Amino acid sequence: MPQRTDVTTAGPEQAGPEPILLELVDEDGTTIGTAEKLSAHQAPGRLHRAFSVFLLDTEGRLLLQQRAAGKYHSPGVWSNTCCGHPYPGEPPFVAAVRRTAEELGTAPSLLREAGTVRYNHPDPVSGLVEQEYNHLFVGLTGNPPAPDPEEVGATALVTAEELVRRHAADPFSAWFMTVLDAARPTIREVTGGAGGW
């Protein structure tokens, strides 16, 4: 008897891939619901949970990433090592490790929590709004990155002094300085003063 193969064709009634949902939170970071990713970023923005990762090498240099040119939000700008959104119900630490692997093909050799920061940053180019309750993580780089080109255009390792020059010359994400400043105390602890942070 021949083996049966089911073939499903997409009709007009099918909506395509499942939407990506973000976790909406109140000002204290308590979950209050979910929203589709793009709608949460449309002006005026809806407060949602996010994370930002800062990985440094043994010399205290921060690993930056340039967001891929194909991204719909803040394409081509430089930013911290990795940032994103946990899935609803996913612990931010787990999401941070997952996305670092997905975007950069590496895992931190050390990762620690560095507090939270809440901000509202409109992106002047896209008109989208980052209204986020952001969990910060600082750690040390593991293996050299092997970036996914769909996510990351380039990477760079910079000391604090080199970052000042690069930040003056190149476009950076609207949220970068806010999350960096909030993470600096933990960056200093993790690097032990290396890199000038």
Side-chain angles (χ1 to χ4, degrees):
M1 183 176 197
Q3 185 175 9
R4 180 179 171 187
T5 304
D6 290 321
V7 178
T8 304
T9 57
E13 70 283 356
Q14 290 182 312
E18 285 289 314
I20 297 172
L21 296 178
L22 306 186
E23 199 170 85
L24 299 179
V25 299
D26 65 16
E27 294 291 340
D28 297 317
T30 302
T31 302
I32 58 172
T34 60
E36 190 276 325
K37 183 178 180 181
L38 182 57
S39 71
H41 288 89
Q42 290 170 333
R46 301 178 72 185
L47 185 60
H48 58 274
R49 195 176 308 284
F51 65 83
S52 290
V53 177
F54 298 83
L55 295 183
L56 301 104
D57 68 6
T58 54
E59 297 172 43
R61 297 179 300 174
L62 174 62
L63 177 61
L64 299 176
Q65 72 153 275
Q66 183 183 37
R67 292 166 64 86
K71 282 185 170 279
Y72 76 89
H73 188 358
S74 302
V77 301
W78 288 88
S79 201
N80 49 293
T81 308
C82 179
C83 53
H85 309 94
Y87 295 129
E90 181 182 29
F93 185 92
V94 173
V97 173
R98 172 179 59 79
R99 283 304 289 164
T100 300
E102 290 170 358
E103 291 187 8
L104 292 159
T106 189
S109 62
L110 166 85
L111 192 65
R112 59 184 284 191
E113 294 182 9
T116 59
V117 63
R118 190 261 195 254
Y119 53 78
N120 179 357
H121 284 303
D123 176 32
V125 177
S126 68
L128 298 174
V129 178
E130 288 292 1
Q131 183 91 250
E132 294 188 330
Y133 187 94
N134 197 306
H135 297 255
L136 307 172
F137 299 95
V138 174
L140 298 175
T141 55
N143 298 328
D148 176 352
E150 298 276 319
E151 299 285 348
V152 179
T155 60
L157 285 165
V158 296
T159 63
E161 185 179 335
E162 290 165 344
L163 176 61
V164 170
R165 291 196 295 271
R166 183 180 285 265
H167 192 263
D170 296 331
F172 272 72
S173 66
W175 62 87
F176 175 73
M177 288 308 297
T178 300
V179 293
L180 175 63
D181 287 344
R184 273 184 201 270
T186 307
I187 290 173
R188 290 189 193 106
E189 289 176 18
V190 167
T191 59
W197 303 101

